């Protein structure tokens, strides 16, 4: 009975739940530039690493062109056998042009026979056939082409070889070949997407794989030195860990009291409000307290430079640099134009798996910018938050509202996904702009329904007494009309 072999790519093996059933014929399809050759080379190198023989049959590229691709990843094509079309040209010689048969009839048949002879001589355990579009050109007739692919399958069926057929989808106007899909034991599709701005995005999916319960759907990937880095789609239900859902303190008792002692482990809290109200500072207060307790934490900074964040924390007497230097806190600058949502989820998963107990995403607008299709945002964020919840991490999401003042609208309707929502507002009193804080909801338990004054000074975050004399709270610009006594002064 045939076993399972590694593809040489860790991410793909995870998607396939171990690898490919051996001694079968597979199709790797995708447009030029999607990463087919690189994945094929990884597949062959893994075969060599395991002590087998590997053969790369290239009808579209020369050995030198293949060597350049391999060298860009630090590999050497001399590690395996390469059969190129020029070898067939030399073997056939110029006499074929003098035949009364059409040249292409001789070309295809003789080329296939030379390839079969090379396979017989080498007896490889892994074979890559690159690419089928050249075979279409040689066959010229679609029926003859399909018969030849079927003949190839039957030829390899009697030999203990695992074969990858590569198709660049350029050989026919009809697009993907359904007949070819049915012939192959499995089909893997690679795609390259060009966005309006930023780096090209790449994704892959397993179209079919007989007898294997693979992870269906699209998976983001990037091509870096060393091959394809594939990020399997995150499925939160597969990553449960036991934890105690106790409240997490910010070391500011009045702030914790708003959420009945603080956010619980395994919950997400959305901190929202206009720019300048102190959303990031509240997150930093929770992060600092977690690190002081000896817990690991991570901040994903989409909007602000890390240097600016450190300067801000220092101004509020939060020495987070010492925790960065000790390795307890990681601040990762994320460029939304260069990262896919799948890669971001993989980074978060890696940090949480390595012990991070608190995760801050600052801000969700930056996360939106990383999305090729915004309509998938809520679904992807929901899965990521579910994973963090399953792992017992405390998640703080920062979401700025539109404009400095005005209505409480936001273009990102994520509030229903979060377990708790902290709302920060500006209000006017005695000719000064002040800030108020309140809790909109807390699924995890009780919370205050009072509106309290909120202030940040050199000694950090302060939460004052309930403000009972407000007017126009829900307009987005509440006005305090009570006595001046309860309002906080400088300290």
């Amino acid at each position: 009975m045939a076993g399972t072999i590694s593809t040489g790519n860790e991410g793909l093996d995870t998607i396939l739940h171990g690898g490919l059933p051996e001694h079968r014929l597979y199709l790797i399809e995708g447009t030029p530039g999607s990463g087919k050759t690189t994945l094929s080379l990884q597949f062959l190198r893994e075969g060599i690493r395991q002590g087998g023989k590997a053969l790369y049959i290239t009808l579209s590229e020369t050995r030198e062109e293949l060597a350049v691709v391999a060298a860009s990843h630090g590999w050497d094509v001399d590690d395996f056998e390469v059969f190129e079309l020029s070898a067939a040209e030399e073997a056939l010689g110029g006499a074929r042009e003098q035949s009364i048969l059409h040249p292409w009839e001789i070309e295809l048949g003789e080329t296939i026979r030379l390839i079969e002879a090379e396979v017989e001589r080498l007896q490889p355990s892994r074979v890559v056939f690159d690419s089928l579009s050249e075979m279409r050109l040689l066959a010229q007739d679609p029926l003859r082409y399909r018969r030849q692919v079927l003949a190839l399958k039957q030829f390899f069926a009697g030999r203990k070889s695992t074969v990858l057929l590569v198709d660049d989808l350029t050989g026919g106007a009809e697009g993907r070949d359904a007949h070819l899909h049915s012939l192959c034991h499995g089909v893997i599709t690679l795609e390259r997407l060009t966005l309006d701005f930023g780096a090209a995005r790449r994704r892959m999916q397993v179209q079919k794989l007989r007898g294997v319960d693979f992870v269906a759907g699209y998976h983001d990937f990037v091509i870096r030195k060393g091959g394809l880095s594939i990020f399997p789609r995150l499925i939160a239900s597969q990553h449960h860990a036991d934890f105690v859902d106790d409240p997490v303190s910010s070391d500011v008792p009045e702030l914790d009291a708003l959420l009945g002692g603080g956010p619980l482990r395994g919950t997400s809290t959305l901190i929202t409000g206009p720019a300048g109200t102190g959303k990031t500072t509240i997150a930093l207060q929770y992060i600092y307290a977690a690190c002081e307790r000896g817990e690991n934490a991570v901040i994903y900074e989409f909007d602000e430079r890390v240097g600016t964040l450190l300067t801000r924390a220092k101004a509020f007497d939060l020495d987070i640099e010492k925790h960065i230097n000790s390795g307890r806190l990681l601040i990762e600058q994320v460029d939304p134009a260069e990262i896919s949502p799948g890669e971001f989820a993989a980074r978060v998963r890696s940090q949480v798996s390595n012990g991070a107990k608190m995760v801050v995403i600052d801000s969700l607008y930056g996360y939106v910018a990383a999305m090729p299709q915004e309509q998938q945002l809520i679904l992807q964020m929901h899965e990521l938050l579910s994973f963090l919840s399953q792992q017992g991490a405390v998640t703080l999401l920062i979401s700025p509202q539109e404009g400095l003042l005005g209505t409480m609208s936001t273009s990102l309707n994520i509030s229903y996904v979060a377990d708790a929502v902290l709302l920060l507002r500006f209000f006017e009193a005695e000719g000064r702009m002040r800030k108020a804080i309140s809790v909109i909801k807390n699924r995890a338990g009780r919370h205050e329904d009072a509106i309290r004054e909120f202030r940040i000074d050199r000694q950090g975050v302060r939460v004052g007494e309930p403000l009972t004399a407000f007017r126009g709270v829900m307009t987005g610009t509440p006005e305090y009309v009570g006595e001046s006594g309860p309002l906080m002064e400088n300290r």
Side-chain angles (χ1 to χ4, degrees), residues 208-280:
K208 79 166 192 178
L209 188 57
R210 294 184 182 126
V212 175
D213 181 24
F214 56 88
V215 182
Y218 285 110
H219 311 274
D220 292 327
F221 73 92
V222 294
I223 303 177
R224 297 195 174 109
K225 184 171 183 178
L228 268 61
S229 294
I230 300 176
F231 311 107
R233 182 170 59 83
L234 184 61
I235 302 176
S237 59
Q238 298 178 354
H239 302 281
H240 179 71
D242 294 327
F243 62 92
V244 179
D245 55 347
D246 53 346
V248 174
S249 174
S250 65
D251 289 346
V252 179
E254 297 83 3
L255 179 60
D256 294 336
L258 289 171
L259 288 168
L264 299 183
R265 297 193 187 278
T267 65
S268 57
T269 301
L270 178 69
I271 307 173
T272 185
T277 46
K279 301 180 295 298
T280 302

Side-chain angles (χ1 to χ4, degrees), residues 392-407:
V394 176
T395 310
L396 301 178
L397 308 168
I398 297 174
S399 178
Q401 292 180 346
E402 293 180 348
L404 291 174
L405 299 169
T407 63

